[in-house]
């Protein structure tokens, strides 16, 4: 005998609808990336000819690497990529250290004015960068810096046209401090007391107890720090004059001078998008876990 078919309840229909909606959203949001990547292998004439058909997202027709070769002929793409990688990685590593230590002090230690400082840090989130960009340029132009001259260090004035002017002003970040603060609050403080009983210092508690338990928060801050560091455009335009220190985003303006090549623009955009996608794919599980836990515990 054949067993009767199980009726499909309303829950199964809702699940199918949810999965269908997710697939549709993936297609919609991935379409621009797919179009950009496919167009990077096509000449300009074919890009415009394929716009009105599905061929726009298919790697068919006159496919070649000419656009990628043209990118390196038109801009110092290799140097700019190395600059952005170095600037972004240093900003992430140092930013995690600075912001997590500030959050540790605010969440685990007790000192006078703690809440006032925390409220002041959170209040800075409402101030857009454009409002203090010009005063910041004036300040960094006056700050001293040690520079190697031959075999001796000399004190110079001004940070303009350098790597550190693109890193140091963005290490402390209010949102990163608040995210670490929220996550540290969810870690039982009894662990601190046990470590203190064993003779651990506050820095020892931070290094050996709190940070090893904060992997999701670290991954989230790493992504949220890397993205603006990688996408910086306005600030490098204001403080960097020579190509030796320029990041990749500034290179976009090179393609709109004289003859505009949309194929080369797509190739360059594909090159500078890959590191961001790779970073997110590498840390997506920890990133989603941190956001989910913040929503439950916050």
């Amino acid at each position: 005998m054949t067993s009767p078919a199980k009726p499909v309840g309303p829950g199964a229909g809702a699940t199918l609808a949810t999965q269908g909606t997710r697939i549709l959203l993936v297609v919609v949001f991935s379409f621009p990336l797919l179009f950009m990547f496919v167009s990077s292998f096509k000449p300009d004439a074919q890009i415009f000819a394929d716009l009105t058909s599905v061929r726009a997202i298919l790697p068919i027709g006159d496919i070649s690497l000419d656009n990628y070769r043209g990118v390196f002929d038109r801009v110092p793409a290799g140097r700019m990529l190395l600059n952005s990688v170095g600037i972004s990685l240093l900003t992430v590593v140092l930013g995690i250290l600075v912001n997590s230590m500030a959050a540790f002090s605010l969440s685990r230690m007790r000192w006078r004015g703690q809440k006032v400082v925390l409220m002041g840090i959170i209040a800075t989130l409402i101030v857009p960068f454009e409002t203090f960009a010009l005063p910041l340029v004036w300040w960094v132009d006056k700050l001293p810096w040690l520079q190697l001259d031959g075999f001796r260090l000399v004190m110079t004035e001004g940070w303009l046209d350098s790597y550190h002017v693109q890193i140091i002003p963005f290490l402390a970040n209010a949102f990163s401090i608040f995210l670490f603060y929220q996550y540290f609050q969810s870690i039982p403080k009894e662990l601190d007391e046990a470590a203190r009983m064993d003779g651990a210092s506050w820095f020892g508690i931070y290094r050996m107890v709190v940070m090893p338990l904060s992997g999701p928060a670290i991954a989230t801050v790493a992504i949220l720090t890397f993205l603006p560091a990688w996408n910086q455009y306005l600030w490098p335009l204001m403080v960097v004059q020579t190509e030796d220190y320029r990041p990749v985003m500034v290179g976009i303006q090179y393609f709109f001078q004289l003859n505009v090549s949309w194929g080369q623009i797509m190739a360059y955009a594909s090159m500078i998008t890959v590191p961001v996608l790779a970073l997110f794919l590498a840390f997506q599980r920890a990133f989603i876990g941190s956001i989910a836990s913040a929503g439950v515990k916050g």
Side-chain angles (χ1 to χ4, degrees), residues 220-276:
T220 303
V221 170
I223 292 174
L224 297 180
T225 303
F226 182 87
L227 289 177
W230 184 265
N231 293 329
Q232 277 198 66
Y233 179 78
L234 176 62
W235 181 248
L237 277 181
M238 299 173 68
V239 299
V240 177
Q241 289 81 39
T242 60
E243 292 182 347
D244 291 341
Y245 300 102
R246 285 178 176 168
V248 290
M249 289 301 165
V250 178
I252 290 289
Q253 65 179 346
Y254 284 64
F255 295 94
F256 294 96
Q257 301 171 1
L258 300 177
N259 298 324
V260 177
S261 174
W262 291 101
Q264 292 181 7
I265 292 174
M266 295 298 177
Y268 189 75
S270 299
M271 291 168 55
I272 65 180
T273 303
V274 168
V276 179

Side-chain angles (χ1 to χ4, degrees), residues 40 64-78 251 254-255 259 261 263-268 271:
S40 68
S64 68
L65 295 174
D66 291 343
N67 289 327
Y68 287 91
R69 285 190 286 265
V71 164
F72 288 93
D73 292 336
R74 193 158 188 170
V75 301
Y254 284 64
F255 295 94
N259 298 324
S261 174
Q264 292 181 7
I265 292 174
M266 295 298 177
Y268 189 75
M271 291 168 55

Side-chain angles (χ1 to χ4, degrees), residues 7 66 84 88-89 100 109 157-158 172 176-177 192 212 269 298:
D66 291 343
S84 283
S88 300
L89 290 180
S100 62
M109 302 171 67
E157 183 181 278
S176 298
I177 293 174
D192 298 2

Side-chain angles (χ1 to χ4, degrees), residues 29 33-34 36-37 223 226-227 230 269-284:
F29 285 106
L33 293 176
L34 183 59
M36 175 187 68
F37 183 71
I223 292 174
F226 182 87
L227 289 177
W230 184 265
S270 299
M271 291 168 55
I272 65 180
T273 303
V274 168
V276 179
L277 291 177
L279 179 72
F280 181 77
L281 292 175
F283 293 101
Q284 63 174 333

